[in-house]
Amino acid sequence: MCEVFARFQASEAEPKGELDHVNAYTLLVAVALSAQATDAGVNKATRHLFPIADTPQKMLDLGEEGLTEHIKTIGLFRQKAKNVIKTARILVEEYGGEVPSSRAALQSLPGVGRKTANVVLNMWFHYPAQAVDTHIFRIGNRSGICPGKDVDAVERAIEDNVPVQYQHHAHHWLILHGRYICVARKPKCGACLIRDLCQFEEKTL
């Protein structure tokens, strides 16, 4: 396990998430919007949104209809718009317009699940939270790095098995590896940094 992440670190010491944001609030919104959508699609939609609505109060001022116009190219945009506005109101009324730094508080917000909360905790508050998406779930089980029957089990496997010095960036390394190398249908095993450590029996070498 240590060797796997040592190689990831050597290849890219400071991996970054691909969702555009300018503060904790816009990160929270971007991650919530990214459910069942691509990061590129979210970034395209928020390119003109965040310059005018980068705080909960500004989002409330924009309103649900105004927000909907900006995000209508994203899947489930109507429900997402409702949730973003509800969340903005809660943040203004209960948190002084600030994004809370606890998982429980984040998950209490409309449309914010554990994965979204973990992304915000990791990327903004620098807590070693592991946001397990479909890429990480696939890689964890395919490679044997962090297997589990569901996303919660894979999350625990990362927390239990990945050496502490790699915990902060672990989910970013895995997400990016899954997005560009260990893809679902035909993994690019010939370009894989950890192919000799991977337990996948059907390597495409």
Side-chain angles (χ1 to χ4, degrees):
M1 184 67 73
C2 191
E3 177 63 21
V4 168
F5 287 94
R7 292 185 190 181
F8 282 143
Q9 184 180 62
S11 175
E12 188 169 8
E14 295 288 332
K16 303 295 183 185
E18 297 183 323
L19 286 171
D20 294 337
H21 61 283
V22 297
N23 56 27
Y25 176 64
T26 54
L27 174 61
L28 174 64
V29 172
V31 179
L33 293 177
S34 71
Q36 299 183 44
T38 65
D39 287 0
V42 172
N43 289 340
K44 184 177 180 180
T46 59
R47 189 172 300 134
H48 300 292
L49 172 64
F50 289 159
I52 61 172
D54 60 353
T55 69
Q57 186 58 59
K58 289 179 183 178
M59 192 66 77
L60 287 177
D61 294 341
L62 179 62
E64 188 176 323
E65 288 187 14
L67 171 59
T68 299
E69 281 301 306
H70 282 278
I71 67 170
K72 61 186 179 183
T73 57
I74 299 174
L76 307 175
F77 68 92
R78 293 191 190 281
Q79 186 58 49
K80 289 177 179 178
K82 291 180 186 298
N83 286 337
V84 168
I85 294 298
K86 288 178 182 176
T87 289
R89 184 168 292 109
I90 292 170
L91 292 177
V92 168
E93 293 178 354
E94 299 182 20
Y95 295 96
E98 300 294 324
V99 174
S101 59
S102 84
R103 183 184 285 118
L106 287 167
Q107 286 189 244
S108 73
L109 300 170
V112 177
R114 187 176 180 88
K115 185 183 79 170
T116 296
N118 281 348
V119 172
V120 174
L121 290 172
N122 182 288
M123 289 181 63
W124 193 261
F125 296 107
H126 306 295
Y127 181 80
Q130 307 302 329
V132 178
D133 69 351
T134 55
H135 295 303
I136 295 180
F137 184 77
R138 179 176 69 252
I139 292 172
N141 284 288
R142 176 186 276 173
S143 68
I145 295 172
C146 43
K149 66 183 188 315
D150 55 37
V151 293
D152 291 339
V154 171
E155 181 181 332
R156 287 193 299 274
I158 297 173
E159 293 173 345
D160 291 345
N161 300 326
V162 176
V164 67
Q165 67 266 36
Y166 304 122
Q167 285 275 336
H168 183 218
H169 292 312
H171 93 276
H172 273 132
W173 282 318
L174 292 171
I175 287 172
L176 294 172
H177 192 66
R179 189 171 287 169
Y180 298 110
I181 302 297
C182 195
V183 295
R185 293 190 178 181
K186 191 176 181 182
K188 302 172 184 177
C189 299
C192 178
L193 292 171
I194 60 168
R195 59 183 176 273
D196 58 316
L197 305 174
C198 173
Q199 297 176 18
F200 186 46
E201 295 181 354
E202 299 174 33
K203 292 188 178 77
T204 58
L205 297 174

